[in-house]
Amino acid sequence: MANSNYSQASSAFAQQARGHPRFDGKAGTMPVNSLERILRSTFKTLGVQNAVRQAALAESLLNHTVLDSWGSYCEAEGIVETAMLAQLLQYLRATYDTISSSYEAFAELVSLKFSAEADLPQFNQWFDHLVSKAELSANQPNQVLNHYHHTMPTNIKKELFAADIVNVRQAQTRALVLWHTRQSLQAKSNQVVDTWGEPMDIDQVAVKPNTRRGSNNHSGPNNRRGLQFNAEQFPCTETEFHQRLEAGVCVYCGKNNHVYQRCQLRGQHKCTVQSRQIETEQTSDSASESLGNSQ
């Protein structure tokens, strides 16, 4: 009858514990505290109060490697038939939880790196937590200091090898000074950019039109220097000249990517005008000679 009750309890426990991972001694999979919460909740639901039976049922949630280790311990201690849940949990904590947590903390400490975008005060707190959890000896300050050097980027790390820095607290203080300085410089740089905004081409700024009655002045970037139409100066008609002024484009060539003062075609037109003047003078002279001969 006792075996029947135990079988029923085992079956009910297996049903309740279904879906939970087996304890394999790795804190990342299931810490001992989590295992204990699952066990006590299940035993309370099933009404299992006997500590020896609780330990026997709990063994079904142990990985085979952990179970073999626990069995060897029970044999060595002579408690194979009398082991209780409290003894099992104490064994798991002493054998696996402490070792795995410190090992994982040390592994994370070795791979820890500080990035420029991170918050250094929070990073230092996490570093101290991992050092404590990894159980690094306080009597070996150089070991902890070397780990901190390893976590820092090059632009900060080189400043932490000064002769006056002999422990991790001094290194963290120096790193904070450097970090705050860089943060302040970056903030000032951002303020300058926000103040000036986008670069501005002064020649592309539109000038408010002069709307006073009776005024014939034309506005726009072309007319800041008082441009007036001159047939010898501009290769366009007077109508086209005023249309270009109103449109804010170059009054010389009609393009909108520059203004008259920067037009590269101005020199070419000057040569053309001079050539036309020479041709006109030569034509006038020829006409005069022909008129004299005919007389």
Side-chain angles (χ1 to χ4, degrees):
M1 186 69 177
N3 291 334
S4 176
N5 291 338
Y6 181 77
S7 298
Q8 292 178 359
S10 299
S11 176
F13 178 82
Q15 188 71 21
Q16 289 288 332
R18 180 177 298 175
H20 293 293
R22 292 181 179 273
F23 181 83
D24 59 2
K26 298 179 181 179
T29 304
M30 180 190 291
V32 176
N33 288 339
S34 298
L35 175 64
E36 182 179 6
R37 286 195 295 270
I38 294 172
L39 292 173
R40 296 198 182 280
S41 175
T42 304
F43 292 147
K44 183 178 180 180
T45 301
L46 299 178
V48 179
Q49 298 180 353
N50 185 284
V52 176
R53 180 172 293 183
Q54 288 177 345
L57 292 173
E59 291 177 355
S60 64
L61 281 182
L62 301 181
N63 176 277
H64 68 277
T65 302
V66 179
L67 183 60
D68 290 343
S69 176
W70 164 245
S72 299
Y73 173 79
C74 290
E75 290 178 359
E77 296 294 324
I79 57 173
V80 175
E81 300 294 335
T82 60
M84 296 182 291
L85 179 64
Q87 292 174 305
L88 172 60
L89 294 175
Q90 182 180 2
Y91 170 80
L92 294 178
R93 284 194 177 92
T95 307
Y96 294 101
D97 193 41
T98 303
I99 295 176
S100 62
S101 62
S102 61
Y103 176 80
E104 290 179 359
F106 182 79
E108 184 174 353
L109 183 64
V110 171
S111 61
L112 190 64
K113 294 290 184 181
F114 176 73
S115 61
E117 298 78 15
D119 183 87
L120 185 56
Q122 292 182 0
F123 177 87
N124 285 342
Q125 291 179 359
W126 182 246
F127 177 87
D128 294 340
H129 170 73
L130 291 179
V131 168
S132 175
K133 194 173 181 181
E135 300 178 357
L136 294 181
S137 175
N139 298 325
Q140 297 179 338
N142 289 338
Q143 182 182 6
V144 180
L145 180 59
N146 288 338
H147 281 298
Y148 192 73
H149 284 159
H150 179 72
T151 65
M152 289 291 105
T154 304
N155 56 354
I156 294 180
K157 182 188 300 185
K158 62 182 180 182
E159 302 289 342
L160 303 183
F161 286 96
D164 59 329
I165 298 179
V166 296
N167 57 54
V168 71
R169 289 288 171 267
Q170 294 173 336
Q172 288 176 332
T173 301
R174 182 69 57 82
L176 281 171
V177 172
L178 296 171
W179 182 75
H180 282 302
T181 301
R182 295 179 186 277
Q183 291 291 101
S184 299
L185 293 175
Q186 183 64 36
K188 291 180 180 179
S189 176
N190 292 338
Q191 289 177 357
V192 171
V193 172
D194 292 340
T195 300
W196 288 102
E198 295 295 329
M200 180 176 63
D201 186 352
I202 189 63
D203 289 321
Q204 296 293 339
V205 177
V207 179
K208 184 177 180 181
N210 187 347
T211 57
R212 290 181 299 175
R213 183 176 298 178
S215 174
N216 294 324
N217 294 332
H218 293 276
S219 62
N222 292 292
N223 204 34
R224 288 204 197 97
R225 301 182 183 178
L227 294 178
Q228 300 294 331
F229 177 74
N230 186 328
E232 295 182 357
Q233 184 178 0
F234 300 102
C236 62
T237 65
E238 185 174 2
T239 301
E240 291 175 335
F241 174 83
H242 293 302
Q243 288 176 346
R244 291 175 180 178
L245 273 179
E246 293 294 340
V249 299
C250 176
V251 295
Y252 192 86
C253 66
K255 294 182 179 180
N256 60 1
N257 59 350
H258 61 274
V259 293
Y260 166 74
Q261 290 81 359
R262 296 187 178 182
C263 185
Q264 299 180 354
L265 300 178
R266 291 169 58 189
Q268 299 178 12
H269 176 67
K270 184 176 180 181
C271 295
T272 304
V273 171
Q274 291 177 350
S275 299
R276 289 178 179 174
Q277 290 177 345
I278 293 173
E279 291 177 357
T280 303
E281 292 175 356
Q282 292 176 346
T283 303
S284 299
D285 293 340
S286 299
S288 300
E289 291 178 358
S290 299
L291 182 58
N293 293 331
S294 63
Q295 292 177 350

